[in-house]
Every structure is written in C-alpha cells, then in structure tokens.
Amino acid sequence: MTDTIWARLVPELTCASVTDSMRFYCDLLGFQVLYERPENGFVYLCLGTAQIMLEEEHSDAWTVGSLDRPLGRGINFQIEVDAIQPIHDRLRLASIALFREPNEVWYRQDEVEHGQIEMLVQDPDGYLLRLTELLGTRTVSRV
C-alpha cells in the first residue's frame, strides 16, 4: 500500500449495504479494494486513479439531513475507465438497468473538443455514475 497515490478529493458515499455496494463496484464496474474496516461497514475502493469510499448507514454517521432514496440527487460522479464495453456487458448480464446507454459525446474547451464514450448507471443506493472512455481531442469545427 505504500505505492498508492491518494487522491486529494475522495467522495465518501453512505450506502444501505456495504456488501451490496462492494459487489456492484468491484464485480460489475471493476473497482478494487484498497482497504476495508468490516467492523465499521467501511471500504476504500479504487479503479485506476479514481478513488471512492463507501460507508454503511449507522447512527453516528455524518449525515446532515434525512437519507431519502435515491441518494445523491443533484450530483453525478464521472469515472474514467479504459473501456466501456466490458463494463456494459457485465451490467447487462447482471440485469442492471442503465440510466443512459453508451453514447459518443464531444465537449468543447476553447478551440479543442474532448471526446468520450459515456454511459450512466445508478449504484444500488441511487448515486448516478457517469463512466467515460476517452476518445482524444479534435479541433473545433467552424461551420
């Protein structure tokens, strides 16, 4: 673990079941466990350089309001992956409904566009995840 580069911003998501969430993130999306504290219902996961913490709901949690389902309304987490298709295949085999099917999109930054294939899916607690496979850049076309 000494080689791990810890991200400077890591979301910690409250979940109903760490076991169910770990199964989703690890088995279907491809995350790996960096460490866990099962006695506290906590796990720290990574996928490449993306990192996320999951904590099971409990009475001493740092919640600032009621946890109505789906959780995470008003936010989506972009997670860069090497390839969308294998994840899409695993989600389909697990009968997980997608929020949005894979789609090629281009986002402008000044005179350059950044391309990606993106797919949106909700985790077991309703957090919206935008998985992206980078396609590269191109010059903005002027019509």
Side-chain angles (χ1 to χ4, degrees):
M1 269 217 325
T2 56
D3 294 343
T4 301
I5 297 173
W6 302 101
R8 296 183 91 169
L9 174 65
V10 182
E12 182 172 341
L13 306 180
T14 300
C15 56
S17 166
V18 165
T19 302
D20 291 346
S21 292
M22 279 179 61
R23 198 172 299 125
F24 176 84
Y25 281 90
C26 295
D27 296 349
L28 300 177
L29 301 186
F31 277 78
Q32 296 179 333
V33 175
L34 281 178
Y35 69 90
E36 60 185 311
R37 293 189 298 268
E39 68 279 7
N40 295 337
F42 175 87
V43 65
Y44 197 115
L45 304 174
C46 73
L47 176 63
T49 58
Q51 297 174 7
I52 193 167
M53 296 181 283
L54 304 173
E55 180 181 39
E56 198 163 295
E57 290 180 71
H58 59 85
S59 60
D60 293 331
W62 299 340
T63 54
V64 296
S66 64
L67 294 176
D68 300 320
R69 304 284 189 259
L71 299 179
R73 283 177 258 162
I75 190 169
N76 74 76
F77 297 98
Q78 178 172 296
I79 304 167
E80 183 182 316
V81 299
D82 292 333
I84 289 282
Q85 193 60 52
I87 297 169
H88 183 262
D89 293 344
R90 290 191 298 269
L91 291 168
R92 186 174 296 262
L93 282 172
S95 299
I96 303 293
L98 296 180
F99 187 83
R100 182 166 292 155
E101 289 287 333
N103 186 37
E104 182 178 317
V105 295
W106 292 84
Y107 295 107
R108 188 179 61 76
Q109 177 191 357
D110 300 322
E111 300 302 315
V112 174
E113 290 180 321
H114 299 271
Q116 60 191 36
I117 299 171
E118 59 185 28
M119 171 179 67
L120 284 80
V121 63
Q122 288 181 281
D123 82 354
D125 294 291
Y127 292 103
L128 187 59
L129 309 174
R130 179 169 39 145
L131 303 165
T132 63
E133 176 185 333
L134 301 182
L135 297 175
T137 61
R138 67 186 184 194
T139 304
V140 174
S141 60
R142 300 288 179 196
V143 181

